[in-house]
Amino acid sequence: TVSLTEDNAATIEKDTSADADSNLSVNVTDGNTQDSDNVINAAEDESITLKIPGVDSDATEIKFTISDGDGSTGNVVVTLTKGENGWTSSQGTITYDDNGIPTEVTGVDVSSQSDGTLTVSATVTDDAGNTVSLTEDNAATIEKDTSA
């Protein structure tokens, strides 16, 4: 952003981070508030919850990638995009904080993923094109067990 002051001096705002306060994180739950096992069972595999606290106000895209480590099933990708009329999601329902910034997506379908450990990574892009990725050490995991 470039602006002129009273004395016609230019000021420039430099934005080099999609996570200016370094507080972005990703979490995943089975979506069931009635149990505390946090294991995705057959009744829950179409309704998990992805949480992304710490998103900066200048974010324009949040992309979650859910992998089961089985190359034959492919990843589940959930993309939240900020447009002129607000945020949209490729699946699920977005929950917002008091400032209108997404904090979670509920109702995400992982039924196509194999049983075992699911890994959830996230990438956030801001309006300056900066990205921050939560992968490997910063990714979230959850167990999926849909067998009887």
Side-chain angles (χ1 to χ4, degrees):
T1 304
V2 177
S3 58
L4 297 178
T5 64
E6 262 179 50
D7 302 325
N8 290 328
T11 59
I12 298 174
E13 180 182 324
K14 183 177 179 181
D15 182 357
T16 60
S17 175
D19 187 22
D21 48 9
S22 300
N23 67 342
L24 186 66
S25 63
V26 61
N27 299 297
V28 57
T29 67
D30 63 12
N32 184 350
T33 58
Q34 303 304 311
D35 69 30
S36 59
D37 68 358
N38 209 29
V39 174
I40 302 168
N41 63 36
E44 300 163 339
D45 71 354
E46 295 180 2
S47 62
I48 71 164
T49 298
L50 304 173
K51 298 182 179 191
I52 187 102
V55 173
D56 289 355
S57 62
D58 65 346
T60 58
E61 182 181 83
I62 302 166
K63 183 182 290 187
F64 296 96
T65 302
I66 306 164
S67 172
D68 61 11
D70 179 359
S72 65
T73 59
N75 294 331
V76 171
V77 177
V78 179
T79 304
L80 283 61
T81 307
K82 184 178 182 181
E84 290 182 19
N85 296 317
W87 287 89
T88 58
S89 179
S90 60
Q91 72 164 290
T93 303
I94 303 171
T95 302
Y96 305 90
D97 68 11
D98 292 341
N99 298 313
I101 299 170
T103 57
E104 69 180 30
V105 182
T106 58
V108 175
D109 186 348
V110 293
S111 60
S112 64
Q113 299 293 282
S114 298
D115 281 5
T117 301
L118 302 185
T119 301
V120 181
S121 58
T123 301
V124 177
T125 305
D126 70 11
D127 58 7
N130 300 309
T131 61
V132 60
S133 295
L134 300 172
T135 58
E136 297 176 17
D137 292 341
N138 297 316
T141 59
I142 190 168
E143 291 299 313
K144 179 180 176 189
D145 183 0
T146 58
S147 59

